[in-house]
Amino acid sequence: MDRAGNERDTGATAGHPASRRDLTDLSEAARDLDRRIEQHLERLRRERDRRAADIPGQRLRPGG
């Protein structure tokens, strides 16, 4: 990031492409993030199902 707060790709501007190791690290980080998101979504689904089971018939009552 430069002094004005703009993002910069210093490797590309200096003429040095990102290394293979950098790309591998990014791929691993992306896979880890994807796995963590899936775990979080699964936990939210379980909690939603548990809450729905705790309040039977809630969706069957008319609103208002």
Side-chain angles (χ1 to χ4, degrees), residues 1-2 6-7 11 13 15 20 25 35-37 41 49 58 61 64:
M1 195 165 293
D2 64 13
N6 298 316
E7 292 185 22
T13 58
R20 206 175 284 254
D25 290 346
R35 179 184 55 79
R36 292 172 59 195
I37 290 169
L41 289 173
D49 292 344
Q58 180 181 12
R61 289 190 298 226

Side-chain angles (χ1 to χ4, degrees), residues 5-51:
N6 298 316
E7 292 185 22
R8 294 188 330 167
D9 185 353
T10 56
T13 58
H16 303 289
S19 72
R20 206 175 284 254
R21 180 179 173 140
D22 290 341
L23 295 176
T24 300
D25 290 346
L26 286 173
S27 292
E28 290 174 8
R31 282 192 297 273
D32 182 54
L33 183 59
D34 190 48
R35 179 184 55 79
R36 292 172 59 195
I37 290 169
E38 286 301 322
Q39 288 174 345
H40 182 68
L41 289 173
E42 184 57 37
R43 188 180 84 233
L44 290 174
R45 287 182 195 110
R46 284 192 310 266
E47 290 174 3
R48 181 189 62 201
D49 292 344
R50 192 174 331 132
R51 281 192 301 259

